[in-house]
Amino acid sequence: MSKPSPRVVLVTGASGGIGNAAAIAFAEKGDTVAVHYSASEAKAKATLEAVEKAGGSGALFQADLSRVSEIRRLYDEVYARFGRVDVVFNNSGAGAEALIQDTSEEQYDRMFDLNVKGTFFSLQEAIKRMGQGGVIINNSSVLGSHPMATTGCYCGSKAAVSMLTKCAAKEAGEKGIRVNAVAPGPVLPGMVGEDMVNRMVNLSPFKRIGEAMEVGRLCVAIASDDMSWVSGQIIGVDGAAFC
């Protein structure tokens, strides 16, 4: 079933990195983007300006996605503003490098509350509210299936996101909603520090790491009707670094 044009796309964590790139990539198709942010209103405003410059339209929405009440408020406000949501990109997330024995309870809670709890209850709201032809994309990670020392907490949270994606696809498919995940390797701009960039660049045969826009444009492709029979998939985007 073809989606209305322009579509309404909710991008969480749209104030920087992959979220910013995805918002712009959807705007390049003329879509309306609900630009979500948690704390950085200035960066979110810059994303909205870039969305409008790219040919789309949109509005800003603030919410703390580690709290279920805030997730529900976000969806209420987006639906009140636009009347529908056709695509959701659950991009908000947190990460930190630390050995398991050095990981604090605060670090653990921050990553699992945002990466897992936030994704789970955003999925819940999206599946309840979206109709036939809806598309949900979660942001997982290559580290959700490839363990790496000093990232145990992050790896565990992203493994959970990947499994949630597959379970949600089984349930949401009965309503005609597709659910997939992107699994990026390190990208710029993004959350990776210079040390990790230097370590990761040689893992890919292309001898570089990815660009956030390469993930953003993959999201646009996944949301297109050309991929109408693709659901429940975790799609890697890492330049063959972790294949």
Side-chain angles (χ1 to χ4, degrees):
M1 179 178 177
S2 296
K3 303 176 187 67
S5 182
R7 298 170 299 181
V8 176
V9 182
L10 169 58
V11 178
T12 70
S15 60
I18 291 173
N20 170 272
I24 295 169
F26 279 108
E28 289 174 343
K29 299 296 183 181
D31 291 331
T32 297
V33 183
V35 175
H36 161 264
Y37 69 99
S38 176
S40 181
E41 183 178 7
K43 289 183 179 179
K45 286 181 177 178
T47 296
L48 181 57
E49 290 173 2
V51 161
E52 293 169 344
K53 185 176 180 180
S57 61
L60 300 180
F61 299 87
Q62 188 280 330
D64 176 0
L65 300 191
S66 68
R67 299 171 58 193
V68 177
S69 62
E70 291 278 284
I71 294 170
R72 291 172 179 161
R73 178 179 62 79
L74 170 65
Y75 275 82
D76 285 343
E77 291 180 357
V78 173
Y79 271 81
R81 177 67 179 265
F82 299 120
R84 68 176 199 273
V85 173
D86 305 302
V87 180
V88 174
F89 180 32
N90 287 315
N91 168 72
S92 287
E97 282 196 77
L99 294 170
I100 290 172
Q101 67 255 32
D102 296 332
T103 299
S104 67
E105 182 178 5
E106 181 181 23
Q107 287 174 314
Y108 177 95
D109 286 346
R110 180 170 179 265
M111 277 187 269
F112 271 79
D113 281 354
L114 194 53
N115 297 357
V116 183
K117 181 180 175 182
T119 299
F120 182 95
F121 285 98
S122 181
L123 279 167
Q124 182 182 84
E125 290 302 307
I127 294 169
K128 284 180 179 178
R129 300 176 190 235
M130 296 175 85
Q132 177 81 22
V135 177
I136 303 169
I137 304 166
N138 296 326
N139 194 353
S140 184
S141 169
V142 293
L143 297 184
S145 57
H146 291 80
M148 181 177 292
T150 76
T151 60
C153 190
Y154 180 77
C155 288
S157 70
K158 290 301 187 177
V161 169
S162 293
M163 184 53 70
L164 283 175
T165 300
K166 292 177 178 290
C167 292
K170 294 284 189 181
E171 297 181 14
E174 296 183 1
K175 293 185 64 178
I177 300 168
R178 296 191 292 113
V179 186
N180 293 286
V182 291
V187 299
L188 291 175
M191 295 189 298
V192 294
E194 185 176 347
D195 288 346
M196 182 169 279
V197 170
N198 293 335
R199 281 185 283 158
M200 295 296 105
V201 70
N202 289 321
L203 290 180
S204 169
F206 299 99
K207 301 304 178 187
R208 67 176 179 89
I209 67 170
E211 298 175 6
M213 185 55 77
E214 291 173 308
V215 183
R217 291 193 172 127
L218 174 61
C219 290
V220 172
I222 292 170
S224 75
D225 287 339
D226 291 338
M227 296 186 72
S228 60
W229 197 230
V230 178
S231 192
Q233 304 303 306
I234 316 300
I235 303 172
V237 49
D238 63 0
F242 293 88
C243 65

